[in-house]
Structure formats: structure tokens, C-alpha cells
Amino acid sequence: MHLTNSSPTITARDRHLLRHAALAVCCAGLFAALAALVQTGWGPLARFDRELTGDLHRYAADHTVWTASVQMFSDIGGTITMRSVLGAVALWLWLIGARTLAGWVAAQTLIGWGGQWVLKLSFGRHRPAFADPVAHADGPAFPSGHAMASVITCAVLVGLLWPRARRAGRTTACTTAALTALAIGASRIFLGLHWTTDVLAGWLAAGIVLGAVTVLVELARPGALARDFRRVDWRTRPRVQRVLVSPARPPRDTDPSDDPADDLPDAPSDDAPEAPSAGPAADPVPDRPDGLLR
């Protein structure tokens, strides 16, 4: 009697989808819990919000030069700047032929912007009010749009850089992104424009958008993100390197202006056996992007 293993095999793509689904679900659960505590006015959390925001505001009122610097940083890292950066990145990706990756970036931008306002209008939380405010902002407070936009932008940029960077570069990129998002969120609390829980909610909402959009794109276009990452790697290599790694092939009776990246092979199916390495001509970028998309 022969026993066979009938348990399903979990592929790399399945793990990829599970990670991003877990990110979206975990952030959604934490966001819902935080929103419920804020809406019900839970005492310890409300006191924490009032005391921290009040202390930071008093410090800001007493140190005008430092406050002006923080205000400038907050303006530079605002939602318009963050979404303009992602819009420029999406346009560049579209122009080099990485259409799915461009759509992924654009979707992160647009869904993040739309989701932010849906949540703000749904909760309608008032911003902190002071007799001598050091800054002004309009609209509801919960969640913080600056915090949400900065996390989405930084995470997308790190995800795009991750496959081409080495360990030191990845560490630098992640550290810079984390400090930038943390500083932008803290600046909104320091200026008295948001409660601390508004910023925390913005970070959690960004995690929901990042995970959910990635899962939806992968389900709609399986393997397309991996192919586009290889295309970006090809198009951003130095020209000499591209020539050296290109396999010899007979001349074609086609337009010489054809994009060499169009000759890149499709991402292999999860059920197909992995092809052996082809030496120096092998594609250095894995079929599955790392970093953000892991």
C-alpha cells in the first residue's frame, strides 16, 4: 500500500498573497479597535491624547524658530507632495512599458487619497483647539492624511528600490523611509493639528491600502508585477551592462527601435519546474519582488 501526500503545496505566489492579505487584515483590525475607542471616548486614551498634544503645543508656542522649521517640514511632506511623487513615478513606469507596476502605484495613490476622505468624513472628528494655535488646518482630523500619504509613498518607493539594492542599500532605504514617515506624523501632533491617535490611525489605514491593493493587482494580473520589476531592472541598467548580459541571438527582421525589454521571458508559472541557471545571461532579478511585495 502506497501512501501519497495529498496536502496542497504552498507556492511562492501563495505566500506573497498571504503576507499582503495578513498585512491588510491586521491593520484593518487594529484600525477598527482604535476607531471604536476614539468614538466611545475611552478615558485613558482620551487623557493620553489631550496631555501629549497639550504638552507639545506648549513647547511649540515657546520655541517659535523650531516650530517654523517643523511647519516647513510638514508642508514639504504634505499630501500634495507625496502624491505628486507617486504620480511622477507611475508616469515613468508607464512610459518604459511597466504598465501593471504603473497601475499598482497609481492605485495606491488614488485609493489612499479617496479612502482618506471617506474615513475622515465618516468619523468627523474635530481637530485640537487652542487659544493660541501655532498652525491651522481644515477638515476632519481622523485619520491623519499626512501620516497616511507619507507611509504609502515611502513604502512604495522602498518596494521599487528593493530588488536592485543590496543589504546596505535596503537597510538605508528602510531606515530613511521609517524616519521620514515618523517625522511627518510627529510634526502634525507637534503643531497641534492632529491628536496622536489620528496619526496612528493614518499609519494603520496606509497598511490596509498597501496590502489590499497589492493583493487585488496580483489576483487580477498573476505574475505581471514580477515581469514589470524585471523590465524596470533591464531599463535601468547601464547600457554597457545590458549589452554584456544580453544573450547572442540571430538578427531579426523587425524594427530596430523595438524595446529590448519586450524580449524578457514571462514569469514562470508556479506549477512549472524552475529552469536551470543560464550563466551570465541569467536574469539577476527574482521572479517575485522582495521588500514591500513580499
Side-chain angles (χ1 to χ4, degrees):
M1 180 178 179
H2 297 282
L3 297 178
T4 58
N5 184 9
S6 59
S7 60
T9 302
I10 299 179
T11 64
R13 179 171 174 269
D14 294 333
R15 290 193 296 269
H16 172 61
L17 291 174
L18 287 174
R19 276 192 293 268
H20 286 86
L23 171 65
V25 171
C26 290
C27 288
L30 292 173
F31 181 91
L34 179 62
L37 294 175
V38 168
Q39 288 293 92
T40 56
W42 188 52
L45 186 61
R47 285 194 299 273
F48 169 77
D49 259 346
R50 289 194 303 269
E51 292 174 1
L52 180 59
T53 304
D55 292 343
L56 291 177
H57 176 265
R58 284 190 292 272
Y59 184 89
D62 294 337
H63 300 80
T64 55
V65 175
W66 171 251
T67 302
S69 301
V70 173
Q71 178 70 69
M72 181 180 299
F73 178 79
S74 178
D75 293 339
I76 293 174
T79 56
I80 295 177
T81 303
M82 296 290 105
R83 292 183 180 116
S84 297
V85 169
L86 289 186
V89 171
L91 178 61
W92 174 72
L93 291 170
W94 182 272
L95 292 176
I96 68 172
R99 303 294 171 83
T100 302
L101 198 53
W104 174 75
V105 175
Q108 299 283 5
T109 307
L110 296 176
I111 293 177
W113 175 77
Q116 162 202 320
W117 279 105
V118 168
L119 292 173
K120 280 179 175 290
L121 295 176
S122 298
F123 291 100
R125 189 185 193 187
H126 296 294
R127 295 178 183 269
F130 301 98
D132 54 342
V134 298
H136 299 275
D138 298 323
F142 188 91
S144 168
H146 279 63
M148 189 173 176
S150 63
V151 169
I152 291 176
T153 301
C154 292
V156 168
L157 294 179
V158 169
L160 293 174
L161 292 173
W162 192 272
R164 289 183 54 81
R166 299 190 179 185
R167 178 175 297 180
R170 292 175 177 181
T171 302
T172 301
C174 290
T175 303
T176 303
L179 291 177
T180 299
L182 181 63
I184 291 175
S187 71
R188 306 302 287 174
I189 305 172
F190 182 85
L191 295 172
L193 301 175
H194 279 289
W195 307 102
T196 305
T197 46
D198 297 337
V199 173
L200 294 176
W203 291 338
L204 292 173
I208 298 172
V209 173
L210 289 165
V213 170
T214 303
V215 169
L216 292 176
V217 172
E218 281 286 9
L219 291 177
R221 301 288 305 277
L225 284 175
R227 290 193 294 272
D228 277 359
F229 268 90
R230 294 203 306 278
R231 179 181 297 274
V232 171
D233 176 69
W234 174 269
R235 295 302 298 268
T236 54
R237 289 176 186 171
R239 184 174 181 83
V240 174
Q241 183 184 0
R242 279 189 278 171
V243 173
L244 291 176
V245 301
S246 298
R249 60 168 70 93
R252 303 177 301 170
D253 296 330
T254 56
D255 188 343
S257 64
D258 287 345
D259 186 355
D262 292 335
D263 296 330
L264 291 174
D266 290 340
S269 171
D270 292 327
D271 299 327
E274 184 177 355
S277 174
D283 193 340
V285 179
D287 292 336
R288 174 174 57 85
D290 292 328
L292 169 66
L293 300 178
R294 293 189 66 178

